[in-house]
Amino acid sequence: MKVVEIFTSIQGEGANCGLLVTFVRLTGCNLSCLYCDTNFETGTEYSTEELTAAVTAEGTRRIIWTGGEPTLRLTEELVTHFADLGYWQAIETNGTKTPPRGLDYITVSPKVSVQTLRKNFRDTPIDEIRYPVARGVTIPDIDTLPPARHYLLSPIFEPKGSDTGSEKNLLSEPNLTYCLELMRQDPRWRLSVQLHKLLHLP
């Protein structure tokens, strides 16, 4: 298993915002999004035993598998392994592949068509669908999406580019305003702001 980083922080977005979790960021992604602010190309190879020791050392009982795109590497066997150790496990995926079975919570941040999303999650329940939103981007009607417990809009932050790097932590007011407009049109949408960026947490 090739891993970019393992760290503990709050879950900064979505319906589980505020939970203390251990993030395991897996190497690789099958997409290239212009607004992506994540390093997913480098990494270190871990055996199952080494990964277990590293996660255990973080001291939480919650794992969020993330990336890049974690479904490229995460296996059902590894999910079962950590489940047997008593871990609650979530995944954050772009929707291009069906996640392995056994996860406790599935977040889809869709980067695929609604048709592909419905196909990949025909038999896999989704806990939350969370769209990253820039002003003017068309968001699908909720009624066309696969069933989910939560539907969220996340305004994209300002891109990197300043000398200090702090610019990536600036909430875009136009993107936020647009999210609020979409929520007025359909109140089933909820707002998800990346709290960890506002607090300058990892």
Side-chain angles (χ1 to χ4, degrees):
M1 176 67 67
K2 201 166 187 180
V3 178
V4 176
E5 59 182 343
I6 300 169
F7 65 97
T8 295
S9 184
I10 63 165
Q11 167 59 296
E13 53 191 325
N16 291 318
C17 186
L19 285 180
L20 189 68
V21 297
T22 296
F23 291 89
V24 181
R25 188 178 308 283
L26 303 181
T27 304
C29 191
N30 51 5
L31 296 177
S32 180
C33 301
L34 293 176
Y35 53 81
C36 184
D37 58 1
T38 302
N39 169 29
F40 53 78
E41 295 182 356
T42 61
T44 302
E45 198 69 41
Y46 282 75
S47 67
T48 299
E49 292 74 19
E50 291 169 334
L51 184 58
T52 302
V55 170
T56 301
E58 293 293 319
T60 76
R61 303 304 294 176
R62 302 185 185 98
I63 299 171
I64 293 183
W65 302 99
T66 187
E69 178 44 46
T71 60
L72 299 177
R73 294 185 180 275
L74 186 62
T75 64
E76 186 176 333
E77 290 75 19
L78 194 60
V79 171
T80 300
H81 169 75
F82 279 98
D84 289 344
L85 294 176
Y87 281 88
W88 176 91
Q89 298 175 82
I91 194 170
E92 296 186 341
T93 174
N94 61 25
T96 55
K97 292 176 57 109
T98 305
R101 293 181 297 179
L103 293 160
D104 299 289
Y105 197 92
I106 294 177
T107 295
V108 183
S109 182
K111 312 296 190 304
V112 294
S113 68
V114 170
Q115 291 77 13
T116 300
L117 201 61
R118 293 183 71 89
K119 175 184 175 183
N120 289 346
F121 292 87
R122 180 183 297 115
D123 301 313
T124 302
I126 299 174
D127 292 284
E128 70 179 66
I129 294 177
R130 186 198 314 145
Y131 273 96
V133 176
R135 185 166 186 83
V137 171
T138 301
I139 301 299
D141 189 305
I142 283 179
D143 292 322
T144 68
L145 295 170
R149 293 169 55 199
H150 308 283
Y151 298 93
L152 300 112
L153 302 176
S154 180
I156 295 172
F157 275 53
E158 294 295 332
K160 297 178 182 179
S162 69
D163 292 337
T164 63
S166 61
E167 189 175 320
K168 67 181 178 180
N169 290 323
L170 294 177
L171 179 60
S172 166
E173 289 190 17
N175 293 346
L176 173 59
T177 299
Y178 183 54
C179 285
L180 296 176
E181 290 173 2
L182 295 173
M183 291 165 64
R184 288 190 187 97
Q185 295 170 21
D186 189 338
R188 290 176 294 178
W189 288 112
R190 290 172 53 191
L191 184 67
S192 172
V193 177
Q194 294 176 302
L195 180 62
H196 56 291
K197 290 185 177 180
L198 296 175
L199 299 177
H200 302 285
L201 294 173

